[in-house]
Amino acid sequence: MSIEIKQISKRFGQFQALNDINLDIQGGELLALLGPSGCGKTTLLRVIAGLETPDAGQILFHGEDATDTHVRERQVGFVFQHYALFRHMTVFENVAFGLRVRPKKTRPSEEAIKKKVHELLELVQLDWLADRYPAQLSGGQRQRIALARALAVEPRVLLLDEPFGALDTKVRKELRRWLRRLHDEMHITSVFVTHDQEEALEVADRVVVMNKGRIEQSGTPAEVYDAPATPFVYQFLGDVNLFHSRVHEGWAEVGGTRFAAPEAGDKAVIYVRPHEIDLARNASNDALAGIVTHVRLLGATVRLEVKTDAHEALEVELTRERYQAERWAVGDAVWLTPREARVYGA
Amino acid sequence: MQTWLDLIPLAWPFLLKGALYTLGFALAAMVLGLALGFVVALLRIARVPVLAQLATIYVSAMRGTPLLVQIFVIYYGLPSVGVEFEPVTAGVLALTLNVAAYLSESMRGAITGVTIGQWQAGYSLGLSWWQTMRHVVAPQALRLAVPSLSNSLISLIKDTSLVSVITVTELMLATKEVIAQTFQPLPLYLAAAALYWLMSAAFERVQRWVESRLELAHQR
């Protein structure tokens, strides 16, 4: 089912949580709302769910105005950040509950409920935990039960609030791949909120980057990563080195390397990712001279921190093989040349 | 000491009968008080216009005035405006109104102590306010509320002694009557105290049983 979000605004006291948000969500899409804390992503998700009422704007579900529809009539499945499982019910009862409380006319038979719950528990691979209470489960298991509970009522839309936020890195990575596979099987329109760019880029069909209550950019993971529309998106999607430059005849400079700056005024900010910088031991006119001040081993890659005249700490990332071949050490003199860059007007 | 033992056959039937009255008052006021307290708590939680404000005033008035005064107002005061009660009815009414105010506050606290996420989880599954309250929030609130509810209910058992002032021969008044005949205040008041303690202790057992039942579903 498609969702249209039209000119939604929401204030909490003096704080403008959402500022004129417009967004179309396609039926069957898996969409990530990505941004730092306080950017409005969770508020937007809750507005879609009907857990918050917007001050202005409209939400359309499949073309129908749902702005004033109560959450219980919107048929959305909501997975809460802290799971919000019913602690006084077993796992089975938690999942069955949404069906059990339906009025007699629409309530499935006891057998149908049992069958459905076991199907869902198998889907989340936790059928063997049916008789346990939520408090006896691990975080990852609770999260999957919360998902099964949300799916039991056959929602038209699945909304997930920081679904993996409270889990450790390894479980989080497993679960997000699992969520992606699950979505590929079920094709239910899904929106999830995250502050983790890696998670958004890996899982989602489309990423919506938010900042200060506005949408900065919306696009496929490749689009937002390779062609960030604003400096904010660029910075948010990965580590970055910043250079300031004057613009001469449409060109900005880092050291002696020139980058086209067609849209910038007379000053530009140049963003270079740590892995887009080349290192050399030999002096050259175009390169920036610096001294290696720190070496950080990060598994497959290595980060060097380099001090130059203009910058306290530039970050340069290289593969472990190159690092080992070139034997960089703290105190070494180094010449830096950016290979790629994005230039924005300052 | 010999004279104390001699008192037993004489006093026993009176004290037992008084204790049964006390128990009856306590149980009646408990059941009615829990029901009324729940309604009052719901009115305040759901912010029902007018009724919620009245409930707030009611709770404040009941907690802010002595039970003895409330009993006097109901039994000796109201007849002057044409409302008359039998002593037993007046006693149960006063105790119920009084304990319900305290119980409603315990319940309100416990209900608000259940996180908002539980409400929202209920709504998102399609439940109404009442369904969420009944199936999701109230069962969890009950567990939070039991210790504090028990406090009020144990107080209630002891507070029944105050209805002795309106000629109801419960344990306290029965004891006084036996003392009037035997002139043995110390052993008889001690016996009455022991009976109150016994009833409270029995109630504590009930509380522990309820807690363990509720705890089954809340292992951490």
Side-chain angles (χ1 to χ4, degrees):
Chain A
M1 193 194 59
S2 65
I3 303 170
E4 284 168 71
I5 296 157
K6 290 185 172 174
Q7 297 169 329
I8 289 284
S9 292
K10 173 79 182 170
R11 291 181 85 86
F12 294 108
Q14 286 300 302
F15 180 68
Q16 185 84 42
L18 294 175
N19 195 347
D20 194 25
I21 298 281
N22 288 284
L23 180 64
D24 282 356
I25 302 169
Q26 311 299 319
E29 188 174 30
L30 176 52
L31 183 110
L33 297 175
L34 173 67
S37 22
C39 75
K41 58 192 190 296
T42 294
T43 306
L44 180 57
L45 190 79
R46 293 170 63 86
V47 166
I48 298 173
L51 293 168
E52 302 282 356
T53 324
D55 300 333
Q58 258 191 323
I59 302 273
L60 275 66
F61 276 22
H62 206 78
E64 272 173 52
D65 190 348
T67 318
D68 297 320
T69 310
H70 190 271
V71 49
R72 70 170 182 269
E73 276 140 22
R74 279 197 201 189
Q75 294 174 272
V76 295
F78 201 98
V79 177
F80 294 86
Q81 188 179 1
H82 299 291
Y83 327 125
L85 291 174
F86 303 133
R87 351 175 4 120
H88 59 302
M89 296 180 196
T90 61
V91 163
F92 182 94
E93 288 304 323
N94 262 281
V95 179
F97 186 64
L99 299 172
R100 284 256 159 89
V101 294
R102 284 198 180 161
K104 269 223 169 70
K105 309 194 286 271
T106 54
R107 191 193 311 155
S109 70
E110 189 57 27
E111 278 96 83
I113 291 178
K114 260 193 191 145
K115 187 160 166 278
K116 173 112 196 170
V117 172
H118 282 296
E119 272 170 23
L120 282 165
L121 289 177
E122 267 162 35
L123 184 72
V124 300
Q125 299 155 4
L126 291 176
D127 205 22
W128 52 288
L129 289 175
D131 297 327
R132 302 277 184 91
Y133 284 95
Q136 298 167 302
L137 309 183
S138 72
Q141 291 169 339
R142 284 183 212 183
Q143 186 59 280
R144 283 186 278 164
I145 297 301
L147 192 60
R149 182 180 69 176
L151 290 172
V153 291
E154 294 177 357
R156 300 189 290 173
V157 186
L158 186 61
L159 305 171
L160 306 103
D161 185 9
E162 299 261 2
F164 314 121
L167 304 170
D168 62 62
T169 319
K170 196 160 174 290
V171 179
R172 186 159 42 180
K173 284 191 173 166
E174 269 171 36
L175 269 187
R176 70 194 192 206
R177 273 167 212 160
W178 175 82
L179 176 71
R180 181 67 241 187
R181 282 201 307 275
L182 187 79
H183 183 267
D184 291 341
E185 284 169 29
M186 306 196 41
H187 291 297
I188 178 173
T189 310
S190 307
V191 182
F192 75 100
V193 155
T194 181
H195 60 261
D196 181 342
Q197 74 277 6
E198 213 182 291
E199 192 168 293
L201 295 174
E202 182 181 331
V203 178
D205 295 323
R206 190 150 64 102
V207 178
V208 173
V209 185
M210 293 184 64
N211 182 34
K212 295 182 181 161
R214 290 179 182 279
I215 292 177
E216 293 267 335
Q217 189 177 3
S218 154
T220 64
E223 280 165 10
V224 292
Y225 191 81
D226 295 335
T230 64
F232 174 83
V233 175
Y234 195 93
Q235 290 193 46
F236 196 76
L237 291 182
D239 293 319
V240 70
N241 292 300
L242 268 185
F243 300 90
H244 294 273
S245 163
R246 293 196 165 279
V247 179
H248 296 290
E249 292 160 0
W251 293 89
E253 277 187 351
V254 177
T257 314
R258 303 207 306 168
F259 294 100
E263 286 152 30
D266 58 347
K267 278 186 193 167
V269 186
I270 299 149
Y271 292 81
V272 184
R273 299 234 185 258
H275 64 268
E276 295 171 337
I277 296 179
D278 281 333
L279 298 159
R281 290 214 183 254
N282 303 324
S284 85
N285 281 339
D286 291 348
L288 287 167
I291 304 281
V292 176
T293 53
H294 283 284
V295 176
R296 295 200 193 95
L297 307 176
L298 306 170
T301 62
V302 177
R303 285 225 171 159
L304 305 184
E305 208 173 283
V306 178
K307 187 176 174 299
T308 67
D309 286 344
H311 297 87
E312 265 309 302
L314 291 177
E315 288 212 310
V316 183
E317 190 173 285
L318 58 164
T319 62
R320 192 156 197 115
E321 290 75 21
R322 255 197 87 187
Y323 165 76
Q324 279 165 344
E326 294 173 7
R327 296 172 177 277
W328 293 102
V330 171
D332 287 1
V334 60
W335 273 264
L336 307 176
T337 317
R339 265 193 322 271
E340 313 251 346
R342 279 200 78 82
V343 184
Y344 298 95
Chain B
M1 203 59 192
Q2 189 55 45
T3 51
W4 283 28
L5 289 175
D6 293 340
L7 280 172
I8 294 173
L10 176 72
W12 175 246
F14 292 98
L15 294 196
L16 186 69
K17 196 173 166 219
L20 286 176
Y21 262 93
T22 289
L23 203 59
F25 271 111
L27 289 176
M30 260 180 213
V31 172
L32 296 173
L34 283 168
L36 179 62
F38 188 53
V39 172
V40 170
L42 283 187
L43 290 177
R44 295 186 70 185
I45 296 246
R47 300 212 179 88
V48 180
V50 187
L51 291 178
Q53 282 80 3
L54 289 177
T56 309
I57 295 168
Y58 156 75
V59 170
S60 171
M62 284 295 150
R63 297 202 303 174
T65 55
L67 176 56
L68 191 57
V69 174
Q70 293 162 15
I71 293 171
F72 279 157
V73 168
I74 288 171
Y75 187 68
Y76 295 114
L78 289 183
S80 67
V81 291
V83 184
E84 255 180 81
F85 295 107
E86 291 296 309
V88 172
T89 320
V92 171
L93 185 63
L95 289 170
T96 300
L97 288 175
N98 183 269
V99 78
Y102 288 92
L103 296 176
S104 79
E105 279 299 273
S106 299
M107 293 184 202
R108 197 170 65 92
I111 290 169
T112 41
V114 175
T115 53
I116 187 89
Q118 295 283 313
W119 284 97
Q120 293 173 344
Y123 289 152
S124 74
L125 291 176
L127 274 72
S128 64
W129 185 89
W130 173 245
Q131 283 178 311
T132 310
M133 173 60 91
R134 188 170 154 224
H135 299 291
V136 176
V137 177
Q140 298 183 61
L142 183 62
R143 176 176 165 271
L144 296 174
V146 167
S148 133
L149 292 178
S150 303
N151 248 347
S152 300
L153 293 176
I154 286 177
S155 287
L156 170 67
I157 295 175
K158 297 175 295 172
D159 287 347
T160 54
S161 62
L162 289 172
V163 299
S164 64
V165 298
I166 54 172
T167 73
V168 177
T169 318
E170 43 61 75
L171 179 54
M172 190 63 197
L173 192 56
T175 310
K176 280 185 181 166
E177 285 172 357
V178 180
I179 292 169
Q181 292 165 32
T182 60
F183 305 106
Q184 287 284 1
L186 183 58
L188 289 167
Y189 280 138
L190 284 177
L195 286 169
Y196 279 115
W197 191 5
L198 202 68
M199 285 186 270
S200 301
F203 185 81
E204 280 173 24
R205 295 288 292 266
V206 174
Q207 175 192 350
R208 242 171 285 150
W209 178 77
V210 171
E211 276 180 6
S212 69
R213 280 295 303 263
L214 294 171
E215 203 59 41
L216 285 180
H218 292 89
Q219 292 135 337
R220 277 172 198 280

